[in-house]
Amino acid sequence: MNQPQEKKTLHNTINYALIGLFFGFIFPIAATLFDISLQNLPLTFPNVLKVQSMNPLHWIIDTAPVFLGLFSALAGYLKDQVVNVNRELEEIIAKRTESIERKNQLLKQEIDHRKEAELELVKAKEQAEAGANAKTRFLSTMSHEIRTPLNAIIGMTGLLNDGSLSSEQREFVKIIDKSGENLLGIINNILEYAKIDSGVAVLEEVEFSITGLLDDVIEIISTNNLKEQVELSYKVDETIPSVLIGDSARIRQVLVHLVRNAIKFTEEGLITILVEPGQMDESSLELDIKVKDTGIGIPKENQEGLFKYFSQVDSSNTRKYGGTGLGLAICKKLVEMLGGEISLESEVGVGSTFHFNIVVKKTMNSTGENDIIAKDRIVESTKRLSPSEGRTDININMPVKKLKILLAEDNDINQKVIGKMLARLGQSCDVAGNGIEALEMCQLIPYDLIFMDMKMPEMDGVEATVELLSLEPKLKKTPVIVAMTANAMDEDRKKCLDAGMNDFLAKPVKLEELEAMMQKWFKAES
Ligand code: ADP
């Protein structure tokens, strides 16, 4: 209880007691005087005593008010105490209410603040996504715009090489062809780098076998590029599960580049790809991959910088071997995306070993049965290739029967290039300048094969494919549809295949690729 309240309670209690005492005196005095006057006695002390002693009620009347006064004082005191406790409680409640309200206010402010922050985050995310989308659009447009004229340059150069040229002219053509190829390599690398750097590239998770992946690498590289005195082989540790989950396309991309470099810089000896298991737990496994060569080697002082952009050991090598110095920087980015690191050991004149590790997931049946199978076949896991081997599935000179071909392509130069290439391969084609024309022509003529450009006016190739396949019951024949497009990014390939196209050729298209594509789809019928 606070001080003024205590004083007030004491004050009240004294008042109650005084009132009680006052009545305690007034009542007996009044009763005695009343009694004396009733009996008509003079007011003397003996008479007072007489009246008092005569009537026992006087004792009660004399003492009761005193008690009543005291009781009322006590009751008053208690009542005051209750009032005080109530007041104190009310004060406490008021204070608590005030503090809760204050806290509520703070909480509300905090919630408002968080909501604002959330909104800002959403806005920033939307801006980042819009930025990433703009970058993707820019990259794909740039790729498209550069590849379209390159298709004509590389395609026409391929056509020029027909034996009627003098050796000097043949040399000129070779230079144009090589420069076109280099330019394409540079564009591919720059686009790839920009894609990874802008965060547009996303990792995929697919099931793959490491030996299958290594076979792909060798097929892509084409061992025709191997020099006579160089042998390429791979060895996969037998304890590695036969099926793994990871971004096989990215792993392949890194390996293809490292093996290409090894081939480029090795005049004789061995190029070996070694795959060994690193750390593993129940669900994931680290793969330790080495690409070893017995090539020219890299001086110590140049080794560190090689994983930076546009870095090459020396410019005379660049002239001799070509390249942009972007490849290893891209490999480093890709390996980091795959959860690992890349490093290099090399000695001049002895050779180089590029070593990288990546994390892949195991499948449900990665342990047990598959491991036993893997141990039983200690794919087979070692493979050797000499220059004459490789690419056995593609026989460039094998004849393909005369096909009914439609070329859906809006660019007149590319119409001419592809038309001439097909003529060189003993084929001819009809031409549609856009998707609508292609649809109309397909309903009239039973085409075996359509080469479908993606970006065309009126109706693009993807839309035309979807429309065409919806008309399938009405068509006399369902054609094989191969995308032939300067939109060469992975998403473009996926878009085409998702729309129902059977295959994909990125521009610039080479004569051999065109023929290999026809062999692939029409070999059995030839
Ligand atoms: P590029 O795309 O020009 O091949 P890279 O980034 O892949 O560029 O390689 C950069 C440089 O590293 C090459 O120009 C070469 O000097 C050196 N290099 C890469 N791999 C090897 C190798 N296996 N042996 C010798 N030098 C190599």
Side-chain angles (χ1 to χ4, degrees):
M1 213 191 302
N2 53 26
Q3 287 291 324
Q5 203 55 49
E6 244 174 61
K7 261 190 193 166
K8 198 174 171 196
T9 305
L10 188 68
H11 185 74
N12 284 351
T13 309
I14 292 167
N15 281 351
Y16 294 135
L18 286 177
I19 293 166
L21 287 174
F22 172 72
F23 283 106
F25 284 107
I26 291 293
F27 267 88
I29 291 167
T32 307
L33 291 177
F34 186 63
D35 224 353
I36 286 175
S37 74
L38 267 185
Q39 293 179 39
N40 283 326
L41 295 175
L43 182 62
T44 60
F45 188 66
N47 281 345
V48 168
L49 288 180
K50 189 179 157 196
V51 169
Q52 291 275 340
S53 58
M54 266 168 59
N55 192 348
L57 256 180
H58 270 292
W59 290 106
I60 297 167
I61 291 166
D62 289 351
T63 51
V66 174
F67 285 111
L68 278 175
L70 288 174
F71 281 141
S72 82
L74 187 64
Y77 173 77
L78 289 177
K79 184 196 139 230
D80 276 0
Q81 286 297 321
V82 170
V83 168
N84 285 341
V85 169
N86 273 349
R87 192 172 297 126
E88 262 176 52
L89 278 176
E90 273 168 17
E91 274 171 16
I92 290 170
I93 288 169
K95 270 188 197 152
R96 290 245 169 106
T97 311
E98 195 186 321
S99 132
I100 287 171
E101 274 173 3
R102 213 178 312 125
K103 278 185 187 158
N104 269 350
Q105 192 66 27
L106 287 176
L107 210 66
K108 203 170 157 288
Q109 278 173 5
E110 178 70 20
I111 289 170
D112 288 348
H113 190 67
R114 285 201 184 175
K115 270 189 188 159
E116 252 171 51
E118 248 169 51
L119 275 179
E120 265 167 34
L121 261 181
V122 170
K123 226 195 244 168
K125 190 173 161 260
E126 280 171 0
Q127 273 173 357
E129 276 169 2
N133 285 341
K135 270 183 193 162
T136 315
R137 268 200 310 278
F138 172 75
L139 290 178
S140 93
T141 311
M142 184 168 137
S143 164
H144 184 271
E145 294 312 310
I146 298 173
R147 277 165 187 275
T148 302
L150 254 190
N151 191 46
I153 296 170
I154 292 182
M156 284 297 186
T157 324
L159 289 172
L160 263 180
N161 231 344
D162 72 348
S164 62
L165 302 179
S166 69
S167 62
E168 192 185 32
Q169 284 167 332
R170 199 179 296 282
E171 188 58 31
F172 293 165
V173 172
K174 211 168 139 190
I175 291 169
I176 299 173
D177 190 43
K178 206 161 179 345
S179 305
E181 289 289 340
N182 281 346
L183 184 56
L184 182 64
I186 294 169
I187 290 159
N188 283 344
N189 276 344
I190 290 174
L191 286 177
E192 184 62 31
Y193 173 70
K195 208 167 126 188
I196 299 170
D197 205 47
S198 65
V200 173
V202 268
L203 285 181
E204 282 196 357
E205 286 200 337
V206 291
E207 284 196 0
F208 70 97
S209 101
I210 190 73
T211 47
L213 188 143
L214 291 170
D215 285 336
D216 287 352
V217 171
I218 287 169
E219 188 191 316
I220 293 166
I221 285 167
S222 167
T223 45
N224 296 337
N225 295 331
L226 273 184
K227 292 146 203 156
E228 276 299 325
Q229 300 86 347
V230 179
E231 197 177 81
L232 170 64
S233 71
Y234 69 72
K235 190 167 188 299
V236 178
D237 187 286
E238 71 265 26
T239 59
I240 292 176
S242 49
V243 185
L244 296 165
I245 299 175
D247 193 331
S248 57
R250 305 277 183 204
I251 304 170
R252 192 165 46 225
Q253 197 178 340
V254 175
L255 274 168
V256 164
H257 188 79
L258 295 182
V259 176
R260 262 200 189 126
N261 271 356
I263 291 176
K264 197 155 74 172
F265 297 105
T266 305
E267 293 301 322
E268 59 179 332
L270 290 175
I271 295 168
T272 324
I273 310 170
L274 293 171
V275 186
E276 286 170 349
Q279 288 180 346
M280 70 171 94
D281 58 31
E282 274 172 23
S283 58
S284 65
L285 164 73
E286 194 181 286
L287 292 181
D288 265 332
I289 306 179
K290 290 190 181 103
V291 178
K292 282 181 161 195
D293 67 55
T294 52
I296 60 170
I298 301 163
K300 282 265 172 300
E301 63 272 19
N302 296 110
Q303 290 179 13
E304 206 183 310
L306 281 189
F307 295 101
K308 295 188 181 133
Y309 320 117
F310 300 112
S311 144
Q312 290 179 316
V313 172
D314 78 62
S315 51
S316 60
N317 267 349
T318 314
R319 278 197 296 276
K320 185 174 167 198
Y321 296 105
T324 55
L326 258 181
L328 287 177
I330 292 172
C331 286
K332 185 175 175 347
K333 286 254 176 198
L334 286 175
V335 168
E336 283 167 359
M337 267 176 81
L338 293 163
E341 284 177 359
I342 187 165
S343 60
L344 157 72
E345 275 173 41
S346 185
E347 207 177 321
V348 175
V350 177
S352 311
T353 301
F354 284 85
H355 172 208
F356 68 97
N357 61 324
I358 46 162
V359 181
V360 290
K361 286 187 185 155
K362 294 181 189 171
T363 56
M364 289 295 278
N365 54 358
S366 286
T367 47
E369 213 176 289
N370 278 338
D371 284 353
I372 295 164
I373 296 168
K375 274 188 185 132
D376 280 349
R377 54 172 192 212
I378 292 171
V379 208
E380 287 174 55
S381 68
T382 307
K383 188 159 182 168
R384 284 202 145 68
L385 274 174
S386 328
S388 54
E389 294 177 69
R391 306 201 67 162
T392 46
D393 58 327
I394 297 168
N395 181 349
I396 298 292
N397 297 315
M398 197 171 152
V400 172
K401 69 162 187 170
K402 186 97 170 87
L403 300 171
K404 277 197 178 355
I405 302 175
L406 175 67
L407 173 65
E409 162 72 65
D410 64 318
N411 182 297
D412 54 349
I413 296 175
N414 281 332
Q415 287 172 358
K416 220 170 263 171
V417 176
I418 305 295
K420 294 272 183 209
M421 280 182 164
L422 287 172
R424 182 67 58 84
L425 297 170
Q427 303 286 345
S428 58
C429 65
D430 295 336
V431 177
N434 60 50
I436 294 174
E437 271 178 37
L439 270 182
E440 285 167 359
M441 291 169 78
C442 284
Q443 291 175 71
L444 298 174
I445 301 165
Y447 288 110
D448 299 299
L449 174 63
I450 303 176
F451 287 116
M452 184 77 86
D453 190 12
M454 262 182 105
K455 217 171 170 183
M456 288 185 287
E458 312 274 345
M459 183 188 276
D460 66 32
V462 172
E463 207 182 331
T465 303
V466 174
E467 289 278 327
L468 185 63
L469 294 178
S470 74
L471 296 175
E472 212 177 342
K474 289 193 216 156
L475 299 177
K476 290 186 195 135
K477 188 168 198 174
T478 306
V480 170
I481 308 174
V482 177
M484 187 186 272
T485 171
N487 292 59
M489 293 171 85
D490 289 346
E491 330 43 291
D492 301 315
R493 172 188 288 268
K494 191 167 180 303
K495 222 188 257 177
C496 291
L497 299 182
D498 286 351
M501 295 195 206
N502 302 80
D503 223 319
F504 186 94
L505 267 178
K507 287 175 188 165
V509 179
K510 289 186 175 168
L511 200 62
E512 304 83 54
E513 287 172 343
L514 202 58
E515 180 163 33
M517 187 57 78
M518 290 194 289
Q519 293 287 353
K520 182 175 168 185
W521 289 98
F522 297 95
K523 199 172 173 182
E525 296 174 41
S526 62

